[in-house]
Amino acid sequence: MNTTDKIKKSWWVLFPFTFIFPGVGFIYIGMKFDNKKWILEGITYEVPWFFYLLSSSIYPSHVMLVYYVWILLLAAFIALVRSIMVAIKLVDVYEMGETPKVASSSSTSSIAKAREDSKIGACCVCIIFIFIIFAFVAIL
């Protein structure tokens, strides 16, 4: 696979740079690969925007802006780091797709299960960290 094809298949990594849609890339790639964990992670990165829009209708925007700018920046930064990590792993998957390996179905399924289980930790840590920040802002 050449570099142009890798870039074409990783266009979804640009969404965290938009600052407004940091989780849309994860939702897209999760739907493309039928990975519910990536869809959940993408929704998690969009949660701060949902709470900002909900609370901005109740409180004046200049009051909420002070608290939510940091949370929104943090969510976009975490989404950017995670999307780069996932894109690097997907490049390996794309390259393996070009050169199929001969293996039994049981070993292939156990490798896929091990890869899926290793992704759970990073997703859960991001979700917990974002909700701790929400709790901290709610106390203020």
Side-chain angles (χ1 to χ4, degrees):
M1 175 179 287
N2 61 19
T3 306
T4 308
D5 291 338
K6 291 177 186 176
I7 292 171
K8 285 180 183 177
K9 291 186 178 190
S10 300
W11 67 269
W12 60 272
V13 177
L14 297 175
F15 278 108
F17 287 110
T18 63
F19 182 69
I20 297 175
F21 305 111
V24 173
F26 272 103
I27 295 170
Y28 166 76
I29 203 71
M31 288 181 179
K32 183 176 179 182
F33 283 98
D34 195 29
N35 189 332
K36 293 177 184 174
K37 293 174 186 160
W38 285 344
I39 295 172
L40 178 65
E41 189 172 355
I43 291 170
T44 303
Y45 295 137
E46 292 298 324
V47 166
W49 280 105
F50 172 74
F51 282 124
Y52 174 72
L53 293 175
L54 184 69
S55 63
S56 66
S57 65
I58 299 170
Y59 302 107
S61 64
H62 67 278
V63 173
M64 297 309 298
L65 192 62
V66 175
Y67 296 112
Y68 276 99
V69 161
W70 294 107
I71 294 172
L72 296 173
L73 283 173
L74 184 65
F77 178 72
I78 292 171
L80 176 65
V81 170
R82 279 286 297 147
S83 63
I84 290 172
M85 289 170 50
V86 170
I88 290 171
K89 288 184 181 185
L90 284 178
V91 166
D92 295 337
V93 170
Y94 293 144
E95 287 177 354
M96 287 189 331
E98 287 187 0
T99 58
K101 296 181 179 179
V102 178
S104 66
S105 63
S106 63
S107 66
T108 306
S109 64
S110 64
I111 291 170
K113 176 115 173 88
R115 285 185 183 166
E116 185 178 324
D117 290 341
S118 68
K119 296 174 190 174
I120 294 173
C123 180
C124 291
V125 168
C126 291
I127 292 171
I128 291 169
F129 187 68
I130 289 172
F131 284 115
I132 287 173
I133 290 173
F134 279 136
F136 180 71
V137 169
I139 291 170
L140 294 178

